[in-house]
Amino acid sequence: MRIGQLLGTGRSADVYELDEQWVLRRYRVGLDARREMPVMSYLSASGYPVPRLGPLPVSAGPGDLVLQRLNGPTMLESLMSGELGGEEGSAMLVGLLADLHTVPARLSADPEDRILHLDLHPGNVMLTAGGPVVIDWSNTEEGPPALDRAMTALILAQVAVDPHAPAAPGARALVDILVPLLAADEGIPVRHLASAAARRAANPTMSPAELALIGKASDLITSLSA
C-alpha cells in the first residue's frame, strides 16, 4: 500500500490519498477502526449514504480504514462560503438524522433502538454530486434516536455560544433553525440532552475552553426547544 499526500486531518485521525478511488483514514490516538466496518457495511446495505469500504492491505494496522474517495466540499465548507444556506443545511441535517433512525439496530434486541452516529455535524457531511454522504463513524453506537438529535444540537450549540469562534454567528443561525425542526421530530428530551452533555464532557479531545461551554450550549438548546 503506497500512501500518498495528506488530504485532511481531524481531532483524532488523518486522511491520506491512496489513488483516485480510495483514501486511507488512520487514527493517531490508538483507536480501533475495525468496529466501524460492520456498521458502515450494514448501513450501506440499508441504503444509507456512507462511504464504500475498500479492502485493507495485510500491512494495515487496527487504526486504518480504506474508504471511498469522495469529491466535494463538506457541508461546513459550503455553509461558511455561503453556497449552502442555513435553512437548507438545517433541513439536510434533520433529514440525515431521520433517515438514519429508520434503520433498525444491528445488534440490540430493543425494538426502539437504532443506529446512532453521535457526531453528525456539518464537518462530517460531504456534499458529493450524488448527494450528501455521512463520514466518520468512530462514535457510532446503538440506542435511542433522541440521543443522536441531542448530540448534533449540542455540538453546534457549543460553537454558537463560543465568543471566540469565527463560525459562531453562522452556527447560531443554524441552531436557531435546527433545534425547532428537531423538536418537531419527537424532540430532544431533557434526559437525552443531559446524556449528550455528559458524553461531551468526557471527550478527551476537547479543550478546557470547549468543555466550559457545554452548560451554556445546553441552556440554549433548552430555550429553543420550549
Side-chain angles (χ1 to χ4, degrees):
M1 177 175 60
R2 180 184 175 277
I3 299 176
Q5 65 176 326
L6 178 68
L7 298 176
T9 187
R11 286 179 182 263
S12 58
D14 300 312
V15 177
Y16 297 92
E17 178 184 46
L18 292 180
D19 55 36
E20 293 183 355
Q21 290 185 305
W22 303 103
V23 297
L24 171 72
R25 196 198 67 193
R26 172 168 287 169
Y27 280 126
R28 298 190 304 273
V29 292
L31 297 176
D32 191 340
R34 292 172 294 187
R35 62 181 293 273
E36 302 167 51
M37 296 176 67
V39 179
M40 294 178 68
S41 295
Y42 177 70
L43 287 170
S44 181
S46 300
Y48 193 75
V50 297
R52 297 196 314 274
L53 292 168
L56 283 170
V58 293
S59 60
D64 291 348
L65 206 58
V66 175
L67 300 168
Q68 173 191 4
R69 185 168 183 170
L70 300 172
N71 296 310
T74 65
M75 182 190 292
L76 177 61
E77 290 169 336
S78 288
L79 287 166
M80 294 289 287
S81 69
E83 293 182 18
L84 186 70
E87 290 189 6
E88 186 179 358
S90 297
M92 189 180 296
L93 283 173
V94 170
L96 288 168
L97 283 166
D99 289 347
L100 176 60
H101 300 152
T102 66
V103 181
R106 188 175 63 93
L107 300 174
S108 174
D110 187 333
E112 300 299 318
D113 281 352
R114 294 292 186 267
I115 304 291
L116 310 182
H117 187 280
L118 296 178
D119 197 23
L120 210 170
H121 57 75
N124 279 337
V125 179
M126 298 288 294
L127 303 182
T128 74
V133 178
V134 180
I135 63 172
D136 190 357
W137 292 84
S138 58
N139 292 331
T140 185
E141 294 181 15
E142 296 180 358
L147 176 59
D148 224 1
R149 295 194 293 269
M151 189 65 78
T152 290
L154 185 60
I155 291 168
L156 289 170
Q158 278 184 267
V159 180
V161 300
D162 185 349
H164 304 295
R172 177 57 195 263
L174 199 63
V175 169
D176 285 347
I177 300 169
L178 179 76
V179 171
L181 288 175
L182 292 176
D185 184 18
E186 301 184 31
I188 303 174
V190 172
R191 69 183 185 279
H192 293 302
L193 180 57
S195 178
R199 287 167 178 262
R200 293 291 284 172
N203 187 332
T205 69
M206 294 184 63
S207 69
E210 289 174 310
L211 293 172
L213 296 170
I214 293 174
K216 191 174 181 181
S218 298
D219 290 342
L220 174 59
I221 294 168
T222 299
S223 69
L224 293 172
S225 300

